[in-house]
Amino acid sequence: MRDRIRVLLVDDDPDLAEVTGSFLEREDERIAVEAAPNATVGLERLDEGGIDCVVSDHDMPGPNGIEFLERVRERDPDLPFVLYTGKGSETVASEAISAGVTDYLQKGGGTEKYEILANRIADAVMKRRAEREAERTRTHLRAITDNSMDAIVTIDADSEIRFANPAVERLFGYAPSELEGEPLTKLMPDRKAADHTAGVERYVSGGDPKMDWSAVEFPGQHREGHEVPLSISFGEFEEDGERRFVGIIRDVTERERHRAFLERSNDIVSALDADGMFQYASPSVESLLGYEPADLLGEDAFEYVHPDDRQRVLEGFRESIAGDAENPTIEHRLERADGDYLWVESVGSNRLDDSGIDGYVINTRDVSDRKGREEKLARLREWTRDLNYTRTVEETTQLAVDAASAIIGAELSGIHLENDAGDALEPIALAESVPMFFDEQPSYDRGGPPGSRAALAWEAYRGDEPLAIDELSESDRLDEETPAESLVLHPIEGHGLFVISASAANAFTDTDVLIAVILANHLEAALDRVDRETRLERLHDATRNLIRADSREAIAERVVDAAAEVLGFSVTTVRIHDEDAGGLVPVAVSEAVEATLPEREVFTPDGGSLNWAAYEANEVRVYDDIETLDAVDNGTGLRSLMILPAGEYGTVSIGETDPGVFDGTDVFLAKILATAAETAFQSEARTERLHRRSAELERQNDRLEEFASVVSHDLRNPLNVAQGRVELARDDCDSPHLDAAAGAHERMDGLISDLLTLAREGERVSDTELVDFAAVVESCWLNVDTADATLAVETDLTLHADESRLQQLIENLMRNSVEHGGDRVAVTVGGLTDGDGFFVADNGPGIPPDDREDVFDVGYSTSREGTGFGLRIVEQVATAHGWDVRVTDDPELGGARFEVHGVDVAERAARNEGR
C-alpha cells in the first residue's frame, strides 16, 4: 500500500502493546504496528529504517520515554514521535515538549483513546510527507527558473502561445503573462503572419512532414514596433493528448555582442564535445582558475573537477546528454592552476545538435563567497547551539569569544562585563591572541576622555545598535593607539560589551558583521539564562539556610542577606506580624534602608500603608513608581517597590531608587524567597515533636506514593488490557458475559480511583483557609451524579478547612446517600446546634446500629455499585482536619445522619485569635 503508515510501538507491557496495536490497525487500515519492549530495542529497530512514526510509553525499564525521545531526535529531528503514557503530569509534558515531541497523549480507561491516537499518528505522518513532497516540488520549480538564456515559447496546433519564459521580455518587450493566450503572430511583422499560419497548417495537416524547423531565420517584431532578426528552432511534443510545439528563439544580431560578452564575462563559458573534451573556454578561465584558454582545448574537462565531486558532475553531464535532465545545475569544486580548489556553480545546456554550436555549453560562476557564507552560518549554528548548554558566565563568554575567532577570524575579540560598582567594563573572556597585542588586559573605565578606547566602548555599551568601524587608524572616532583595525562593538544589554576585533583593516565582510550580531544576540540570551539559573541555584541554597535559623529574627536577617547577595536587591525590609504591637513590625533591614529611608515604623491596619494592604490581601504587589501613589515613603528617593506576603507571618518589602526596575524574573525569584521565608517561619514555630512527626509522615508519604504509583501503573495497565480485550471480543461474538465483564471493569476502575485517593491524600492537613460551607455544598452537588435526588442547605456556616479535601468529604457523603437511598432521596446539609460542626442527612433506609462501627472500614459497602472506600475517605478527611465523624439516625428525615464534630468555625476561630 503506497500510503502505508509504519508505526513503532514501544511499551514494556506486551499485553497492552498488543491491544494497542490491534486497535490502531483496526481504526486505520493504513497503520501497521511493530512493537518493541523498551527504548533500547526501539532504537535498534529505528536504525534499520522504514519507520514512519514512534509511539512510546514513558515509565519503562532502562531509558524512559523522554530519554528515548531525545535519542530519536539525535537520529532524526523530524520523525513523528507520540508520547503515550499513563503517567500524566505537567513536568513530563513540559520535558516532552522541550525535547521536541510531536504529540502527547495520556492513557486512560475505555477504548475511545485509540481512535484519538490513530488520528494523531496519521495526521503527523501525513504532515511530514506533505512537507517533504512540497520541498521536492519547490526544488523542481527552482530548476525550471534557472533555464536557458534563450527565449522559449510553446504554442498549440492553432499557433496560440501557451507558455513563454522570462527571456521573451528581453527579445520582444512583453512579459510572459502578456503573451500567454495570444497568437504567435503577435511577435511577427504583419507581412509574415500569413506565411507562418499557412506553414503551421501544412505541417499539422501532414502536408509537409519533412519541414526542417531547426535554426530557421525569421524576423520578429518588438513591442515598440522595430523588427528583430531571429534564429528559431522548433520541436514537437504531446501534452494531454494535444500537439504542442516548442520554439527556442535567439536574436542573431546579438551573436557578436554575445561573443564580446563571453570574452569579458567574469563567468567561465565553455563548450565540450560528447566525450567531455574542451572545445572552447572563455578568457575568464584565466582570471578564475589561472589557465590559458588555449591550453585547455582537447583536455578532459572532468579531470579538473575535485575527485569527491567528479562522479556527481559526470552523472549530470551524461543524464543531460541522454535527455534525462534538462539544464542541470551543479555546485562543485574546480582545480586551479596553483593546485587549490574553487567552489563554482555550473549550468549545463546540451547544444550538441544545434547548428553553429555543436557542443555541450556550460556556464560556470564563482560561488566561493556564497559557500563561505554558508559554511560560516553552519558553523555559527553549531556554536550557538552549544551556548544553550553552558553553565557559568566564564564558560558562556569564552565560548562566544572562541566562536568569533574561529568563524570570522576576529583574533582580538573579548567580552567585557560591567563591574558591581558600575564604573568599568572589565574583561571576562579574551581571544588567545589578545595578550600578544596588548601589554595588559584591556579594561574600559567609565568617564574616559573623548577619543579614548574607554569612551568608545561606553558609547557603544549605552547604545541600542552595534557599532562597526572598518579602519580604526583612519577613523575620527578614536585618538588613542590600538593594535586593532577592524572593529564591531555590540552591547549586551544588562551585562556588558562584546568587542569583535581583528588586527587587519576591512577584515569583516557584511556576512561577518551579521554573524557577529547573531552571535552577540545569542550570547545575551545565554548570559540571561545563566544569570537566572545561577540566581535560582543560589536562592535555593539560601532558602535551605533559612530553615536552619533558630529564631524569627535570624530568619529575617537571612532573608535580607539573600535578597542582597543572591537577588541583587539593595533596599529590603522584613516585617513580622505582632499582635501585641498591633501590626507589622520591622525586624530586619538592609544597609541601604538605613542609609536611604527614615526609621521604619510599625504598619497597622488603620495606617493606610501599601505594606499592610498587601499583607491583608495576601497577594504580591509591584509598583513601578510609588511617587505616583499616596505612599508612606514618598519623597525619600525610593521609587520601585515590591511587597510580598510571607503567609500569616509578615511581609518582605523590596525597593530600588530607580523606577520600573523589576522584571518578571525579579518577581518570580522574590516570590520564591518570600515563600521560603514563610516556610522557615512555619518551621520555627513547630515543636521538636512535630519535627519528628513530620519526618515520619514524610516516610509514610513516600511509601504511599510508591504504592499509588504501583496501583496507577501496574493495575491500570492490566485493566486497560482487559477492557481492550472485551471490546475486541465484541467483534467476534455476542455474549451477555461480556457486558458483565465490562461492568466489572468499570467497578475495578472506580475502586482503583478511590484507592489512589486514600493512598495519596494522607492523614494531615497543613494549610486551611476560611471556607463558605454552603457554597462548597452547592458546588459538590453539581459534581455528583444525583439523578432525581433533592438537596436542602440549612446553614450559613463559615469554617477553617482545606477546601479541596472538604469537597471530597461532602461529595462522598452525597454519593453514599444516593447509592443507598435511591434516585429520589432527599438530602439535607446543616450546622450542628452546638456550633461545633455540621451534618449530612438523608431520608433513606438508614444504617442499623450494629453496622455503624463498620461503615468506615475499607471495602465495607451494602450497595453493588459502591466501592467500599467512600466512607473511609470521609473518615480520612475528617481525621486530617482533626475532626470527628459520627453516624446516627436523623430525627426528622428518618434516614442516615453523618455528623462532623470539632470543626473550627469562624466565630470560634476569632475567639482563639483574640487570646
Side-chain angles (χ1 to χ4, degrees), residues 587-784:
V587 294
V589 298
S590 63
E591 292 181 2
V593 171
E594 297 175 344
T596 305
L597 303 177
E599 183 176 352
R600 302 287 79 192
E601 60 185 68
V602 176
F603 288 148
T604 59
D606 55 357
S609 71
L610 301 176
N611 211 294
W612 180 267
Y615 171 74
E616 189 173 44
N618 193 31
E619 64 181 24
V620 176
R621 295 188 175 178
V622 181
Y623 303 96
D624 289 336
D625 191 352
I626 64 170
E627 288 296 329
T628 63
L629 307 170
D630 183 15
V632 172
D633 290 321
N634 282 357
T636 62
L638 188 68
R639 304 296 293 276
S640 299
L641 179 63
M642 176 170 28
I643 306 172
L644 307 104
E648 63 183 284
Y649 300 98
T651 61
V652 179
S653 303
I654 297 170
E656 293 294 342
T657 55
D658 293 323
V661 300
F662 299 129
D663 58 19
T665 300
D666 293 331
V667 176
F668 171 73
L669 296 176
K671 285 181 178 179
I672 294 177
L673 180 60
T675 301
E678 179 183 358
T679 302
F681 287 138
Q682 290 173 343
S683 179
E684 185 270 342
R686 297 188 183 100
T687 65
E688 184 63 23
R689 181 184 60 82
L690 289 179
H691 278 294
R692 290 194 298 269
R693 179 57 180 159
S694 177
E696 176 62 26
L697 287 175
E698 186 67 25
R699 288 191 292 272
Q700 291 180 7
N701 288 339
D702 289 342
R703 292 194 293 271
L704 288 173
E705 182 59 31
E706 180 181 359
F707 169 73
S709 177
V710 171
V711 170
S712 178
H713 185 270
D714 293 352
L715 290 186
R716 282 198 183 277
N717 272 4
L719 179 58
N720 289 341
V721 171
Q723 290 174 317
R725 292 292 189 187
V726 169
E727 188 66 19
L728 290 172
R730 293 186 191 276
D731 294 341
D732 299 329
C733 65
D734 184 12
S735 170
H737 297 299
L738 295 178
D739 292 335
H745 293 157
E746 292 178 1
R747 179 169 172 76
M748 289 171 65
D749 198 35
L751 284 168
I752 291 173
S753 297
D754 283 349
L755 187 58
L756 289 175
T757 299
L758 284 170
R760 283 179 167 155
E761 292 297 341
E763 295 287 345
R764 287 290 180 270
V765 169
S766 58
D767 295 323
T768 63
E769 59 184 344
L770 280 177
V771 176
D772 184 340
F773 181 67
V776 171
V777 171
E778 296 287 352
S779 175
C780 292
W781 189 256
L782 296 176
N783 293 336
V784 176

Side-chain angles (χ1 to χ4, degrees), residues 255 350 507 650 691 872 900:
R255 286 176 180 169
N350 186 1
H691 278 294
R872 180 66 183 94
V900 180

Side-chain angles (χ1 to χ4, degrees), residues 531-550:
D531 180 61
R532 288 194 302 272
E533 293 174 354
T534 302
R535 293 169 74 190
L536 189 57
E537 290 175 0
R538 295 179 62 199
L539 181 59
H540 285 163
D541 292 338
T543 56
R544 285 193 293 269
N545 189 40
L546 291 179
I547 301 298
R548 293 191 288 268
D550 57 5

Side-chain angles (χ1 to χ4, degrees), residues 149-295:
M149 293 292 293
D150 294 334
I152 299 176
V153 176
T154 299
I155 63 172
D156 57 20
D158 296 324
S159 197
E160 180 178 308
I161 299 173
R162 306 301 294 269
F163 169 81
N165 75 337
V168 299
E169 189 166 5
R170 177 177 55 82
L171 285 181
F172 299 103
Y174 296 99
S177 59
E178 293 178 290
L179 293 177
E180 292 176 5
E182 296 290 331
L184 187 61
T185 54
K186 184 180 182 76
L187 303 179
M188 304 175 187
D190 291 341
R191 68 180 189 280
K192 291 292 185 178
D195 293 341
H196 163 75
T197 302
V200 172
E201 289 176 353
R202 284 197 307 274
Y203 185 86
V204 170
S205 64
D208 194 3
K210 295 183 179 180
M211 179 183 293
D212 183 8
W213 278 17
S214 62
V216 175
E217 299 288 338
F218 198 87
Q221 182 161 309
H222 194 274
R223 182 175 195 159
E224 294 177 359
H226 60 271
E227 291 188 6
V228 182
L230 304 173
S231 173
I232 309 174
S233 295
F234 276 97
E236 182 177 355
F237 66 100
E238 185 172 305
E239 182 181 54
D240 298 330
E242 296 184 6
R243 299 176 75 177
R244 296 283 189 270
F245 304 90
V246 59
I248 300 176
I249 308 171
R250 181 174 301 164
D251 184 352
V252 296
T253 61
E254 296 290 323
R255 286 176 180 169
E256 291 304 319
R257 187 179 302 170
H258 183 61
R259 181 178 296 275
F261 169 77
L262 292 180
E263 299 292 327
R264 295 171 174 80
S265 173
N266 290 327
D267 295 348
I268 300 173
V269 180
S270 56
L272 312 182
D273 62 18
D275 296 323
M277 303 299 177
F278 278 113
Q279 293 180 317
Y280 170 80
S282 64
S284 55
V285 74
E286 182 175 6
S287 61
L288 287 182
L289 300 178
Y291 302 109
E292 290 287 344
D295 294 340

Side-chain angles (χ1 to χ4, degrees), residues 416-430:
H416 303 257
L417 301 185
E418 185 176 0
N419 63 8
D420 293 338
D423 58 7
L425 296 172
E426 298 178 346
I428 185 68
L430 298 172

